[in-house]
Amino acid sequence: MAAHGPPVLLGRAGERQVLDRLLANVRGGQSAVVVVRGEAGVGKTSLLHYCARQASGFRVARIAGVESEMELPFAGLHQLCTPMLGHVGALPEPQQTALRVALGRSSGPPSDRFLIALAALSLVSEVAAERPLLCLVDDAQWLDAASRQALGFVGRRLLAESVAIVFAARDPSEEGELAGLPELRLEGLADEDARALLATVIPGRLDARVRDRLLAETRGNPLAILELPRELAAPQLPGLFALDGTQALRGRIEESFLRRLEGLPEAARLLLLVAAAEPVGDPLLVWRAAERLGIRPSAAADGEALVAIGERVAFQHPLVRSTVYRSASANARREVHLALAEVTDAEVDADRRAWHLAAAAPGPDEQVAAELERSAGRAGARGGIAAAAAFLQRSVDLTRDPVRRVARALAAAQASLHAGAFASALGLAATAQEGATDELQGARAGLLRGQIAFASGVGSDAPPLLLEAARRLEPLDPELARETYLDAWGAALFAGPLATDGGLLEVSLAAGSARPAAQPPRPADLLLDGLAALVTEGRAAAAPMLRRATSAFAADDVSAEENLRWGWLTTVPSNVLWDDRSWHAINVRQLEHARDAGALARLPIDLTASAILATWWGDFARAAEAIAETDAVTEATQTHIAPYGAMLLAAFRGREAEASTLIESVVQTATAGGQGIGVQYARWVNAILFNGLGRYEPALEAAEQASEDTPELFLSAWALPELIEAAVRSRHAHLAACALERLTEATTAAGTDWALGIEARSRALVSEGETAERSYHEAIARLGRTRLRPELARAHLLYGEWLRRDGRRHDAREQLHTAHDMLDAIGMEAFAERARVELLATGEKARKRTVEARDALTAQEEQIARLARDGLSNPEIGARLFLSPRTVEWHLGKVFIKLGLSSRMGLHDALPDPDRDATPASTP
């Protein structure tokens, strides 16, 4: 493994075949990615060199992570994308802007980190259109977090772009962003190959016992075989490995390098330290810093066996770099970093200069701390939140002034929170709280602790922390206090009965005393007042305030910032008011704002709400599309959201195995995370599932549990119709009557056709004679004026079942045929089966739905086909689904084959889009 050429490669026949097949697949028009994993020195870099040599006809891009560069934002992505920027003009404009800003090529507002990753995907796809592209990423564990995340995203979304990415990395725990990608595990060399390699280091005869011991101790690690015996004479070999067997192999290799370093002149060791501390591999910077330190060029000859300084600075192995740096004294490292800072251009590379200055600082230094703070601002402006957090954290370490130290700790904690580094964020918030010099700083630190608890999934701990912070903020910053009360209300709703303290009532009582400072009230103020009144005064009193809040967030002029800030909380009033029209309007606006902002971490929440509403409207295809898109986002971003949409859709469809698995998973996860609302939602869905299957006792149990949690809110009210149906069918009339009283209170306050139609249907179930029939007619009339086709179909089903039991078989057949046809067309299989069985009891048979051609499409194919039908271009579809345009084109080709089409024109007939506004929306 000389520093001047590729490492020696012996053996590895199986691994080479894997890489050969990978390249062949890419030549055939597919994409491929693999992470080559193994310990230090096992030959990962050698395999990357082999792959490059085999890639005839490819464009080859090589990048490598450097340990000392891990905190610089998008440093690795900069290495990869800068030579390709000639193609950036072909990207959609938002992606162009995001990538240019991230790489420091232009100024602009920071983009979501996943939009930057999507831009990188589109860029490599464009480059590969000319010829296949091979990206080799060495030492991926040392890439900066932003680059690793972006490249992991690209690796997961590749499909039909003629792109190959080969990562070389160590322990997967060091870079979780690559988790889930295909892996090639690299172990030590086979015995025969290890012997051949050893012979290149120790030519001639070698005692068999010594050789076998040597090979056993090195475990076939090529670098160990090459390095450990190198400086030993033959008489020393028998005792070479008389070391403690527990000593790590990596430690032995580093000790070998250390012994070689100790034999070098002082000037050569200092030159190697300069090269190790300079992450760019720029020889001009190294020589300029060396000149400042009084190192002559002749020193390079003494260390050339370990590092070559030519067009680039190249160490024999990354372990050489780390050994050089770690073995140096603290004073020597500071001296070298100061020299590098002095020769780094403050205009061109201010952030790397600031990092060198920080490493050179022996103690607190306000000037350097301020430089790091400015670097954090630049990193944040480019979307490098993790880097901003690192700069700020180091700035805190160098700050002596107590006020500035706390302010920087708060900023660092906020950045760490946004970057998902919850442990670091919590530590910094504690630092800020301990050092707070005034009440406002202490309150802001408490607010951060609550936000961290909520974001990190510790849902039961968040409400009391946020409530305490809001109370402390109230006399200091009234607007921030009200925002914090709203955060606390949302956290309390999320935690439900699992909250350790600070429940909805306590939060609502406290929030009710904090009057809005802004006039006129902001949408968030209207939302807080309505939600607080809902808990403290009841539905009827809160309804006018909730309608004002709903109107504010559904208005055309609501700001994207306001909508994105409050997210799913803005739809709670619509849910409480049984107002699907406003719910839909707000959801559409939220999706639009999230897409425009590239807020991919927020998008799954809005897509889930869209899937739930589409399911309730009976548009299962649209719901499945939203669920597929949610899956695409969470897969690409490695984020998680409970499968609320998929769970509800499976229950409406009556697919017991699928729904039950999802329900059980959500209950376990939500309980462990202190997320009571997840448990309540799962129980409500379970009640729908069992009612559809005609299993009324378990439906009753699930509905009772769901209706008892947070009884003043929407999920409990939604569970009541399921409870009433299950109670009537299982002959628990008293339970049904009590539930109807609670339901009537909720629906009367809402006053929409959805609410009053459900109430009428439920009243019919507990009534007899003319009262029941009149209620069924009212339910069908009211629900017929809404878009909730499943609820209307269930009203026809219940009416038909009642008519049959009343002996009116002819009338029953009419209602049951209507119900069966609707339920079957929607895809509600279990409820449709109930209608079919009832029809058989009347002497009729139900017609079977014919399987449509589109049923053969996968969820993703149907989603792409619908978007194409609606006029979106391949780049626009790709931006929506986080795919490259060429992958979209590949999927469309499969769609055309399955549907027997030759172009997009036929999609309008194959996938008709009924006018969604044909059915009037419910009205208050």
Side-chain angles (χ1 to χ4, degrees), residues 752-762 775 778-780 782-783:
T752 61
D753 276 327
W754 175 12
L756 297 177
I758 293 295
E759 179 197 333
R761 191 183 77 190
S762 300
S775 296
E778 180 186 351
I780 289 169
R782 286 190 179 277
L783 292 172

Side-chain angles (χ1 to χ4, degrees), residues 66-69 261 267-290 293 295 299-300 303-304 306-310 312-318 320-325 328 332-333 336-337 339-340 352 356:
V66 178
E67 192 170 11
S68 57
E69 198 177 35
L261 283 171
R269 292 201 305 272
L270 192 56
L271 178 61
L272 262 66
L273 180 57
V274 174
E278 197 290 300
V280 183
D282 183 345
L284 296 180
L285 277 177
V286 170
W287 285 124
R288 286 203 292 267
L293 295 168
I295 303 171
E304 64 181 358
L306 296 175
V307 66
I309 305 178
R312 306 296 295 171
V313 177
F315 280 88
Q316 175 191 342
H317 190 275
V320 176
R321 181 193 288 271
S322 61
T323 302
V324 168
Y325 191 81
R333 289 199 295 266
V336 163
H337 279 294
L340 286 165
R352 190 170 275 110
H356 281 309

Side-chain angles (χ1 to χ4, degrees), residues 4 17 19 35 240 275 297 454 468 533 559 564 575 607 745 795 800 844 850-851:
H4 302 279
Q17 287 178 3
L19 295 178
V35 183
L240 173 61
F454 187 67
E468 179 189 0
S559 70
L564 291 171
N575 298 156
L607 286 167
E745 179 190 354
E844 286 279 297
T850 58
V851 177

Side-chain angles (χ1 to χ4, degrees), residues 384-442:
I385 300 299
F391 281 125
L392 286 167
Q393 188 165 359
R394 182 65 177 134
S395 177
V396 172
D397 297 337
L398 298 179
T399 303
R400 177 175 285 137
D401 178 79
V403 177
R404 286 177 177 166
R405 179 178 170 84
V406 171
R408 286 168 178 161
L410 287 170
Q414 190 77 55
S416 298
L417 168 61
H418 290 160
F422 301 126
S424 295
L426 198 57
L428 288 160
T431 297
Q433 197 154 38
E434 291 166 5
T437 57
D438 59 41
E439 185 65 16
L440 181 58
Q441 284 187 331

